[in-house]
Each structure stands twice: as structure tokens, then as C-alpha cells.
Amino acid sequence: MRMRFFFLLSFVMAIHVGTMAQKSSGPEISDVRTTIYPAVYKTEAAEQARCVWINMKSKGAASVVCTLGKATQRVNLNDGDNRFSIYIPEVKKATKLTLTVKNGDRVVAKSKVEVKPARHWQMNLVQHTHTDIGYTRSQMEILAEHLRYIDYALDYCDATDNYPDAAKFRWTCEVSWAVSEYLKTRPAEQIERLKRRVKEGRIELATMFLNFDELPDEQTLAASLAPVKQFRDNGMRAELAMQDDVNGMGWCFTEFFSDAGIKYVNMGTHGHRALICFDMPTVFWWQSPSGKKVLAYRAEHYNQGNFFGIHNTDDFAGFETRVLEYLGQLEAKGYPYDICAAQHSGYFTDNAPPSTKSCEMVKRWNEKYEWPKLRTAVATEFIKTVEQRYPDNIATVRGAWPDWWTDGFASGAREAAISRITHSNIIAAQGGLAMAKAMGVALPDGVSTDIADVNEALLFYDEHTFGHSESVRNPYGLETWEQRSLKQSYAWEAYRHAGLLGETTMGLLQSRLEKAVVPSVAVFNTLGWTYSGIAKVYIDHQILPRDKDFEITSADGTPIAAQAGESRSDGTYWYLYVKDVPAMGYSRYYIKVKNAPAKVTASMERLADTHVENRWYSIGFNPERGTIAAITDKETGRTLLAPDAEWQMGEFIYETADSRHPMEQYRAPQFTRRRPEKMMFERYEKGPVWDTYRFRGETVAGRDANNLMVEYRIYNVEKKIEVVYRLRKKAVTDPEAVYVAFPYQVPDGKIFLDVPGGTIEAGVDQIKGSSNDWYTVQNFAAARNDSMQIVMGSQEIPLMQFGAINTGRYQAGATPQSTQMYSWPMNNYWVTNFNADQMGEMQWSYFITSTADTSTEYATRFAWQNRIPFFTRVLQADAGAPDTTEKSVQVMSGMPSNLLLVNMKPVDNEKAVIMQLREIGGKETAFSIKSDVIDITGITVCDVTGEPLQGSQKPVFSPWENKFIKLTWR
């Protein structure tokens, strides 16, 4: 059987052979090259065939006879380059064959060609649609489309039932959101069709709600797995997590997945402006902070099959070439398996509907080729095959997988800040509701739905796609602004609903509070430990007049520090320093208005002395730059700042770049960085809680006069410094960024940070190739050595760079160059998807301390105390109330100090709460708890969905472990 194939010459086993050109009247042959593809062709004969491609140059046209082993073929050569093929039988072992080219009786070229047996490849082709909300079309259209795609997938399963098994239509549902909505909205018979196809393995359900950057915290990521229970309740298997496009994943998922029966992770990573972990597709055991494992696959790009052209049935020859070239590239890299996988979509676009074109291509391929074999497959088929066939080739990797793409959220700094604030508020609200339930308050119907709605809005904002594909190329276009507005709305929706839920929570809690003869403030602590801190409360002027002196006291009559903040016509925000508010409990404080005028706040409009001191710190300001030039920790005697740093502490840095495109090539643009054009000291105010040092200046990043404010708050009640910024930003579509400098100096120090689910050393406890130019800091970053640490965090800003400003460095495995830190509040460096500009006044802040306690436990607690708010409620006076004061009340107590209560939420229709806990001290710990309020009857270890784990599960935490514990009472 004669076979012709039209391939583009490329690669594998390409052998450049020497030639013996014969000078005669015949042609001169030179530059003879042979290429053997990793393919075996089906023939009508018993023997399988290999194809050897021959390239040679001929000086002059001629007819020649080529012989390779026993195969002979006449070829008409043209003057110049020639390419032709000879088919030979497959060999059973490596064999050297002689290639002879004759012109008549004269040998014009002769060489040796080594032929090795073809590797018996199998390629699984995994069809899915990449859920990229808002990138290709409006969010409102795309969300609905993904439900329709499941209908199509079911129809295509039916349509290909009679195809050869390897070519039958198969589909992987990339995200759980679409399937969850499908189960709520489709008729029973359609849902039964889906269940049947899932059971037989033609459709696979993945468990990631959407594709996430690292903006969401571990509470919200836990909530994102709620559809797993929905799938189980419907009898549908779901053991896969699929994250596509994004090049990292929250480390907490390894803890969540392991206990929830989600055994496999498929990462279809995208290398745009990002390094990719591993130098080839790799299956590995991804180990959690506590040592649990899931089997992870770092796949190629989620459209790899489309790069081959699987969606284009009119170019089968091109598809052949690209598949075979790819397999050759894997061989050249030392790829260890004889099976590989390639994801693809029905059409070469994001949010693509399914298609049966790949079925046609696979069918046609397998009719022609003995090897490689192609197969339509769901995602886990490949991973399970590697797990079964190659267990000794699977390495274990313990480390976080930081994502390179969260930097894009800095193009919407206002909404990113609101998202982070809402993440904190919803944790506090759930804790308050759980406390109310334990105190015997009947929760309103629908509270769990309200919590889920807030988390879902957060998840849609935190989802990796920010906006339209042309958002940078066409920043003021119709589609750009429609998608941008819809994306932003998720953050504001979550913020609004979290506020209403907080008010519901306080309304329930206050029902258990008795009024006093004087106005009072109840302060609720939803964290798992007793602590002192700042409680923010809005007090009406009828209760606390602006012009009257007053004191606020604890239950034993001890005055507490109170400082006024922003004031309105009806009331003022007050910051109360409350001491030892009990864990999962509350304290009461009493407002006593005096018949005397309000005290005058000491202030001045010039900085008389640039050196200031309090109990904990000695601080030197630089008024010309509006910065802190030096800090000494008086307790440890340590100098905290590098004296020769280019940028001083708190310095506002405005950066512009010549182009966005170098970062697409993994190199840094040409940057220009500048300080504000002017800075001046504006005001000092002495305060009971903190002293304020405020600077005002102008930067070209802003608009109007005095567009930048920097305020340093040096605390008098605790060892803390706060820095607050306000910037009136102007719209700029040229590439720009803002940094804030914190040039900490910690001798022999290292930098640690809090990521979702654990703490890592920057550049060390992470998979090589994951993001290290910048990090998404969940709660804190710490510069630490053996005797001290500096801890900082921000309520609003997640992005930080360590050691230096590293934007555009792209060096896999790099560690921080120093212990200096740079916050990265804003940038617009993306070429697509994210915002091209941002404008308007924005505010953000940082909290900082230093300590001789070098533990992660200390750093974690400091950060959570500053991020998770106290709940507060002002109660009016009741002249008829008893003239007594209420002591502190603790609903639950006794939890080990090294267990972080990440979240606590009420359970519907039960006297129970679910506690999400993480061990933060690095030691094995048994969970314990007690209560004087409830009679605890059960402690049950659960998975992330709240379902009890099978077997005898003791509430004992391994070092760094995450667990979910259900607490029940009578």
C-alpha cells in the first residue's frame, strides 16, 4: 500500500548524516538529512510501517533511486532542496540501515540511518470549556451560556454513542459553579441524563467553583467547595479539582481536598507574564502544610489541543504534524510516561461551546495510525493511568503554589480593598451568629443563605478574569466598561450584604444584653483567644455630645482610652482601646458624660522635633520626604530600618514604564521611579490611643493640589505603628505603578508570609517557578531572625515584593535579596483583561509591630487582631435598669492557643456550629473546648463541606494542619 503524507519538517531523531557526493555527469548531492517521526502507520500488509523523511540538496535535476534497508524508491530530484519519504517496516530493536542514493549505476550519496522502535504513545484529548467570565462577552451572557453547554455535551454524548470507544464524545466540566446552577434549574429528566453520563465516565465533574487568583482567603475558598456536597447528594462522583489559565493555587486546597475525597488536581497553566513550574508536564504528589497529599498534574496550556488544531477538521495534515512534533519534543525532554494529555475546547476561544470535531479527528487518526493512539478522555483518566503504571516516577513536592496573576487586581485597587475588608467582615459576622446561636437566640430563616450569597459574590469578584479582552487596547470602549462595571459590582454587592448581615448579627446579640442606667458599648470578640485591641464604634451625639467631657469605663470602673475619628452631624466614629475581651465572648463598657466642656486636643502645625519617642519606639522623621528615617525598638534595642536604603519607610514611589510588552517576554521594562514632587508636614495631634503625624504632598500620579496624604499613627496603648494613605488618583492609561517602601533591616533575617492555609518562607517553601517577584499576602509578612521579628500587614492591600522592587525579574527559585519590603497597591501593567486605568480618591493602611517573640503564632495573632474587627453595639441608657455593671461573658473557652479559629458558622436546624481551625505553632495538638453557656455533647471531625469523616477520627491536629470540627450541644 503506497501512502503519502504531507508533513512540515521539524525534529525528533533528526540525524544529520555525512554524504559521499560523487563528482560525475550526474547530480551533486549534499546536506542529506533524515527524520523519523514517532509514528507507526497501519498498512494492508502484516508489517507495520515507519516513515523516514529524507531531505537533500541536488545540484541539477535528476532521477535517482533511493534504497534504505530493503526499501527502494525512485525519486525525481529538482535542482535545489528536495524532500521525500520512504516507508520501512517497524523494527524490534535499534537498527542501523544504509541509505544509498544512485543515479544510474553511480552512487551519489551514502550514509547510515539509525532506526529505533517507535514509542507506543497514547494521547488523551480532554475537552472542556475554559470559564473566563467577562473576557469574551458580557458576564450576563457567559454565565447563562455555560449551562447551555452542559445540554450540548449531553446531546453530543448521545450522538457519538456508536463511535469507536476512543472517539466517543467526552466532556469535563471545568468548574462546579455551572453544574451547581444546572442542578437547580434543569428538569428532572435532564438531570438524570447528566447523572447517567457522569456515572459511566463520559462526563466528569470538577470541584473548583471558578478559576481563582490568590485574592480569596481560606474561609471563602472553603465555602467555594459547597457544591461538592450537592454533587454527593445527587449521587455524582467528583474527585477532581481543575484550575485552568491561572498559574497557581491556594495551598489550603491541599488540606481541604485530601479530607473531602478530591484526589486529583489538574492545572492547565498559562505562561503569559508568568513562569511555569516544572520544565515539562509533570504528575507529582502535592503535599499540604501538614503532610496530606493530592495527586497533581501540571498540564500544558488549557488549549494545547487547539494549538494542535483539533478543532479544525479541514487541516488534518497540520494536526498530524503538530501532534507528532509535540510528542517528539516530550521525548527530547526525557518525558517519563508513554501517555500524555492535552486539554482543548470545542472552538479555539475561551467560554467555547462543546463540539464533536475532536471526535472526528480522533476517529480519523486511529484509522491511520497504529501508534500513537489518540483517545477522547475526561481529565482524571490520564492522572489515574500515571498513578497506576508509574508510581515510582511520581515525586512528592511540599510547597505553596503562589500565583503570578493576582498582580492584575492592583488595577482595581479600590474594589480589591473592599473585597479584602468584606472577607474580614464575613468572618466576624459568622462568628457572631454562631455565638448568638450558642446563647440561645433563634436565628432567622435564610441566614445561611445570606452567608452563602456574600461568599458567592466574593468568589465572583475574586475569580481570575477581571474584564474584557480589549480592556487595555480599548480602555474606554463599550464592552470594556460594561464588563468592568459588572466585575466591580460583585465586590460592592458582597460588601453591602456583609454589612446587612453584620447588622442582623448585632441585632440578635443585643437581644441577650441588658441595658444599664448609663449608655454602654458591648464589644464582641469572635476570635479564638482573649486579646486587647481597637474597637471602632459609631456613637450618636445625643449619647455622647461633641462638646462634653466624658469617660468610658470597663465594668470595674477603670477608664479606657477613647479617640475620636471622623465626625458627622449626628455622631462620631470612636476608637476604643479595649483590654482582654474574652475569646468567643464580649465585654461591656459604660459611657459617662460629665458636666464639663470637652477637652481640647493638643496639636501643632509644624514638627518642632523630628525625633519622637513613646514607651516602645524611638522614631526619627524626615519632614522633607514625609517618611520615617529611623526606628529603634526600645525593648530589644534593635534598629529596625536600613540607614542607607534608597527609599525610606513609608515613602510613596510612583513608577512608570516605557512599555507593557517586555513582561510578556519575561524581562523588565525600562522603569522610571520618583518620589512625590513635594511633601510637607501638615499636622500633629496628641491622642489617647495614638499620636498623629500627618504629611501632605503632591505626586504626578494624582490630580489637583495636595493630592497625597500620609499619616503616621504612633500608638500609645500598644506596641504598634500604623501608616494611612490617601491618594486622589488621576486616570492614566500609560503603564504605571505605585509602591510603598518599608526598608526593614533584620540581620541574617528571612521573610515569611501568610498564604491561604499556611505560612511560608519567601522563595523557599514554594514550588520552583511559582510567583516570587511578588506575593499575595493574606494577613501578614514578617522579617525574622533568631532573636526578633518585624510583622506587618494591611487590611486593604494584598500585594508585596520582598528584598527589592522585583517587577519583571522572572527568576525561578529566587529568594529575597534583603529583609526590605515593598507594598504594591496599584499597577496597570497587563496588556489585556485588567483595567487600563483607575481614578478617584482611595485610602489604604498598614499595621506594624516588632517583637522578640519570633513565632509564627505571634505574627498570626497580631495580624488577625488587626484584620478581623470587633463587633460593637451601643445601648441607650435605661433609667429603670439596675445600677449594676455586667462583667465579661465568654460563650466558649479553653481552645489551645496554637489553634487559629479561621471561621465559625452556625449549622442549620441543629444546635451546632462548624469550626474551621488551623494549627499555627508547628506542634501536634489535641482540640479541646469548654463552655459555661452550653452543654457540649459532641465534637465531630468533618470535611470542608461539614460532612463527618469516615472512621474513628480524633480531633488531634498535626503540625500546621487544617480541620473542620462540628460542635454540638443540648
Side-chain angles (χ1 to χ4, degrees):
M1 177 179 178
R2 183 174 177 81
M3 306 186 323
R4 293 186 177 273
F5 301 88
F6 301 96
F7 292 128
L8 300 173
L9 176 61
S10 179
F11 64 106
V12 176
M13 294 177 65
I15 305 170
H16 188 177
V17 299
T19 65
M20 295 194 314
Q22 305 294 321
K23 291 189 176 182
S24 66
S25 57
E28 284 188 30
I29 304 299
S30 62
D31 196 21
V32 178
R33 295 174 181 267
T34 57
T35 303
I36 306 176
Y37 287 95
V40 178
Y41 303 91
K42 293 181 176 179
T43 69
E44 293 175 353
E47 292 180 319
Q48 298 172 344
R50 300 291 301 281
C51 178
V52 180
W53 284 93
I54 302 170
N55 281 60
M56 61 179 63
K57 288 185 178 180
S58 175
K59 189 173 182 180
S63 178
V64 298
V65 174
C66 293
T67 302
L68 180 61
K70 297 180 179 179
T72 298
Q73 185 168 314
R74 179 170 292 279
V75 179
N76 293 321
L77 298 180
N78 297 314
D79 184 41
D81 292 330
N82 292 268
R83 184 167 187 259
F84 55 93
S85 60
I86 295 179
Y87 294 93
I88 61 173
E90 170 65 313
V91 297
K92 294 182 178 180
K93 62 181 181 178
T95 303
K96 287 189 176 180
L97 302 177
T98 300
L99 171 65
T100 304
V101 182
K102 287 186 175 182
N103 177 230
D105 293 332
R106 291 181 295 278
V107 176
V108 294
K110 190 173 184 180
S111 63
K112 291 290 185 180
V113 177
E114 185 176 22
V115 182
K116 295 179 180 179
R119 191 167 173 175
H120 288 184
W121 281 103
Q122 177 179 315
M123 177 183 284
N124 285 5
L125 290 154
V126 178
Q127 187 172 170
H128 68 110
T129 183
H130 175 48
T131 310
D132 215 331
I133 301 170
Y135 189 66
T136 56
R137 280 185 289 161
S138 165
Q139 289 92 331
M140 297 302 100
E141 292 184 61
I142 289 300
L143 292 174
E145 289 284 83
H146 281 278
L147 275 65
R148 177 171 64 87
Y149 297 164
I150 299 174
D151 288 331
Y152 280 17
L154 292 170
D155 291 342
Y156 291 153
C157 285
D158 294 346
T160 59
D161 275 341
N162 294 325
Y163 278 42
D165 184 65
K168 291 179 178 179
F169 178 86
R170 291 176 173 86
W171 175 261
T172 299
C173 297
E174 181 193 68
V175 299
S176 66
W177 167 82
V179 181
S180 177
E181 291 300 314
Y182 194 90
L183 294 173
K184 298 173 188 175
T185 58
R186 287 303 192 261
E189 59 270 20
Q190 193 72 345
I191 292 172
E192 286 304 315
R193 290 180 70 198
L194 176 60
K195 290 180 180 180
R196 180 168 62 86
R197 292 303 186 178
V198 170
K199 184 176 181 179
E200 69 182 23
R202 295 279 293 281
I203 290 180
E204 182 163 57
L205 307 184
T207 55
M208 292 281 287
F209 189 76
L210 296 165
N211 299 287
F212 294 116
D213 292 276
E214 283 192 289
L215 197 61
D217 66 1
E218 56 199 291
Q219 181 278 141
T220 314
L221 292 177
S224 77
L225 294 174
V228 174
K229 184 176 186 304
Q230 184 186 16
F231 297 165
R232 287 181 193 152
D233 291 346
N234 279 276
M236 297 192 296
R237 182 179 66 254
E239 55 186 1
L240 166 72
M242 177 179 266
Q243 169 115 313
D244 286 324
D245 212 1
V246 188
N247 41 68
M249 179 184 282
W251 202 10
C252 59
F253 275 126
T254 55
E255 295 276 330
F256 301 163
F257 292 159
S258 179
D259 289 337
I262 302 168
K263 302 175 182 178
Y264 308 103
V265 173
N266 186 104
M267 290 283 286
T269 51
H270 192 322
H272 184 226
R273 297 176 70 260
L275 301 180
I276 297 298
C277 302
F278 309 103
D279 59 358
M280 70 180 88
T282 302
V283 175
F284 64 100
W285 289 107
W286 187 17
Q287 192 172 55
S288 77
S290 68
K292 300 172 185 176
K293 293 181 181 180
V294 293
L295 194 57
Y297 172 43
R298 194 286 272 168
E300 299 281 25
H301 188 285
Y302 62 90
N303 278 135
Q304 184 66 43
N306 298 104
F307 297 155
F308 299 151
I310 195 166
H311 58 285
N312 185 4
T313 53
D314 294 331
D315 186 20
F316 183 73
F319 174 69
E320 290 177 288
T321 300
R322 287 183 283 270
V323 168
L324 292 173
E325 287 180 347
Y326 174 74
L327 294 176
Q329 291 161 10
L330 288 183
E331 286 189 7
K333 289 179 178 180
Y335 182 80
Y337 321 124
D338 289 338
I339 184 171
C340 64
Q343 294 171 232
H344 68 95
S345 295
Y347 300 82
F348 200 174
T349 183
D350 292 337
N351 303 299
S355 167
T356 58
K357 290 184 178 181
S358 58
C359 303
E360 303 300 329
M361 295 290 257
V362 169
K363 186 169 178 285
R364 185 173 175 184
W365 177 286
N366 289 337
E367 288 171 351
K368 182 174 182 178
Y369 289 93
E370 191 66 36
W371 300 103
K373 295 186 185 297
L374 301 191
R375 175 179 175 80
T376 66
V378 295
T380 56
E381 287 187 38
F382 163 75
I383 309 174
K384 288 178 178 179
T385 300
V386 173
E387 180 182 25
Q388 294 162 5
R389 294 183 188 173
Y390 305 96
D392 296 336
N393 285 18
I394 304 175
T396 297
V397 179
R398 182 186 185 277
W401 203 336
D403 158 54
W404 289 90
W405 283 8
T406 311
D407 68 310
F409 280 84
S411 71
R414 181 180 290 102
E415 283 72 34
I418 286 298
S419 169
R420 280 175 61 84
I421 290 168
T422 306
H423 281 294
S424 298
N425 290 347
I426 191 63
I427 289 174
Q430 290 176 87
L433 289 166
M435 287 167 56
K437 185 159 194 170
M439 293 165 69
V441 180
L443 304 189
D445 292 340
V447 162
S448 292
T449 300
D450 293 341
I451 294 170
D453 287 346
V454 173
N455 275 322
E456 184 168 300
L458 285 170
L459 292 168
F460 274 106
Y461 181 76
D462 296 345
E463 192 267 340
H464 77 299
T465 309
F466 204 88
H468 192 243
S469 59
E470 295 185 358
S471 61
V472 177
R473 295 190 299 274
N474 187 18
Y476 301 116
L478 176 66
E479 291 82 5
T480 294
W481 274 91
E482 179 180 292
Q483 267 91 305
R484 178 173 178 170
S485 298
L486 284 165
K487 178 69 171 183
Q488 291 172 171
S489 73
Y490 290 124
W492 293 109
E493 177 187 357
Y495 182 63
R496 180 172 68 88
H497 284 286
L500 293 172
L501 187 61
E503 176 55 34
T504 297
T505 302
M506 284 313 309
L508 297 171
L509 288 169
Q510 78 175 24
S511 70
R512 287 294 182 265
L513 303 175
E514 298 293 336
K515 291 181 179 179
V517 294
V518 296
S520 63
V521 180
V523 178
F524 290 83
N525 172 14
T526 62
L527 297 181
W529 61 87
T530 297
Y531 76 97
S532 305
I534 306 301
K536 183 179 178 181
V537 58
Y538 191 74
I539 304 178
D540 293 352
H541 289 150
Q542 178 171 320
I543 294 174
L544 182 51
R546 282 189 287 191
D547 59 348
K548 295 290 187 180
D549 192 13
F550 70 96
E551 68 177 7
I552 301 177
T553 66
S554 59
D556 63 3
T558 303
I560 66 170
Q563 186 156 331
E566 181 184 353
S567 185
R568 303 173 187 268
S569 60
D570 60 311
T572 296
Y573 286 102
W574 288 90
Y575 296 84
L576 313 181
Y577 181 66
V578 292
K579 296 193 69 175
D580 299 327
V581 182
M584 294 177 282
Y586 66 91
S587 295
R588 290 281 289 276
Y589 302 89
Y590 299 88
I591 303 170
K592 299 175 182 178
V593 179
K594 299 179 180 180
N595 189 21
K599 293 176 181 177
V600 177
T601 301
S603 65
M604 59 184 178
E605 294 183 357
R606 69 181 189 88
L607 191 58
D609 190 350
T610 60
H611 180 84
V612 300
E613 295 200 21
N614 68 1
R615 173 182 166 187
W616 298 284
Y617 292 115
S618 174
I619 298 171
F621 284 103
N622 184 334
E624 288 75 25
R625 291 166 67 171
T627 57
I628 293 178
I631 304 178
T632 300
D633 182 328
K634 295 166 73 173
E635 290 185 326
T636 65
R638 298 282 190 176
T639 298
L640 303 186
L641 303 180
D644 56 350
E646 178 182 3
W647 309 98
Q648 294 184 347
M649 177 170 156
E651 191 141 38
F652 180 95
I653 306 166
Y654 182 56
E655 176 183 86
T656 55
D658 63 335
S659 172
R660 293 179 170 91
H661 297 295
M663 291 179 68
E664 295 180 283
Q665 302 160 7
Y666 311 107
R667 60 184 179 87
Q670 292 295 313
F671 293 120
T672 300
R673 298 181 183 127
R674 64 184 82 177
R675 300 177 174 87
E677 275 55 47
K678 71 173 185 179
M679 288 294 290
M680 62 180 181
F681 181 75
E682 183 178 68
R683 188 173 181 81
Y684 160 81
E685 291 181 358
K686 178 69 177 175
V689 178
W690 67 76
D691 294 341
T692 301
Y693 298 84
R694 186 181 304 124
F695 294 83
R696 186 75 64 176
E698 292 181 10
T699 168
V700 294
R703 56 175 298 161
D704 306 326
N706 298 322
N707 51 46
L708 176 65
M709 182 209 77
V710 184
E711 183 174 289
Y712 298 92
R713 297 175 178 176
I714 313 301
Y715 275 71
N716 298 310
V717 292
E718 60 180 327
K719 191 176 183 181
K720 185 170 75 172
I721 297 170
E722 197 170 27
V723 192
V724 182
Y725 292 81
R726 275 201 179 195
L727 171 65
R728 197 176 307 116
K729 183 76 177 63
K730 69 179 179 184
V732 176
T733 56
D734 292 333
E736 61 168 1
V738 169
Y739 303 90
V740 177
F742 298 91
Y744 302 128
Q745 177 178 264
V746 178
D748 301 318
K750 300 175 181 178
I751 292 180
F752 297 82
L753 68 143
D754 187 39
V755 299
T759 300
I760 67 169
E761 180 185 343
V764 176
D765 300 317
Q766 61 184 96
I767 301 174
K768 187 176 181 180
S770 58
S771 179
N772 57 0
D773 282 9
W774 51 82
Y775 290 86
T776 308
V777 177
Q778 286 296 311
N779 296 290
F780 75 86
R784 180 187 302 169
N785 63 17
D786 292 339
S787 61
M788 65 161 298
Q789 66 174 330
I790 303 170
V791 184
M792 74 171 294
S794 173
Q795 178 70 290
E796 304 88 1
I797 304 301
L799 292 167
M800 295 191 74
Q801 300 192 23
F802 299 134
I805 296 176
N806 299 311
T807 307
R809 176 180 57 174
Y810 291 114
Q811 181 182 337
T815 55
Q817 306 92 321
S818 70
T819 52
Q820 297 185 23
M821 301 185 188
Y822 295 84
S823 176
W824 198 16
M826 300 177 193
N827 77 71
N828 64 349
Y829 283 160
W830 271 74
V831 297
T832 184
N833 189 32
F834 292 99
N835 294 338
D837 70 350
Q838 51 192 317
M839 63 182 293
E841 192 163 66
M842 306 179 196
Q843 178 171 309
W844 69 95
S845 62
Y846 307 93
F847 48 84
I848 304 157
T849 194
S850 55
T851 177
D853 186 337
T854 62
S855 68
T856 294
E857 187 175 335
Y858 177 91
T860 302
R861 287 185 169 216
F862 175 74
W864 279 71
Q865 289 167 196
N866 281 276
R867 286 209 65 207
I868 307 302
F870 285 117
F871 264 126
T872 58
R873 173 62 62 175
V874 177
L875 300 173
Q876 296 180 358
D878 182 355
D883 189 13
T884 59
T885 55
E886 183 181 26
K887 295 182 179 180
S888 297
V889 173
Q890 195 161 18
V891 178
M892 300 177 208
S893 63
M895 270 206 323
S897 62
N898 58 316
L899 294 185
L900 171 67
L901 181 59
V902 175
N903 191 43
M904 179 170 62
K905 64 180 181 179
V907 178
D908 286 342
N909 305 315
E910 293 184 57
K911 291 183 177 181
V913 296
I914 294 285
M915 307 177 85
Q916 181 179 348
L917 298 150
R918 172 157 59 91
E919 200 285 317
I920 58 174
K923 54 191 176 185
E924 183 176 294
T925 302
F927 173 80
S928 61
I929 199 165
K930 60 185 179 180
S931 176
D932 295 330
V933 176
I934 56 176
D935 182 10
I936 298 172
T937 58
I939 295 174
T940 307
V941 182
C942 300
D943 67 16
V944 66
T945 72
E947 291 291 297
L949 294 181
Q950 295 181 353
S952 177
Q953 295 288 335
K954 295 182 179 180
V956 177
F957 287 72
S958 298
W960 317 119
E961 187 176 14
N962 289 254
K963 280 187 184 295
F964 296 83
I965 289 180
K966 184 176 180 179
L967 202 68
T968 55
W969 61 86
R970 288 190 180 88

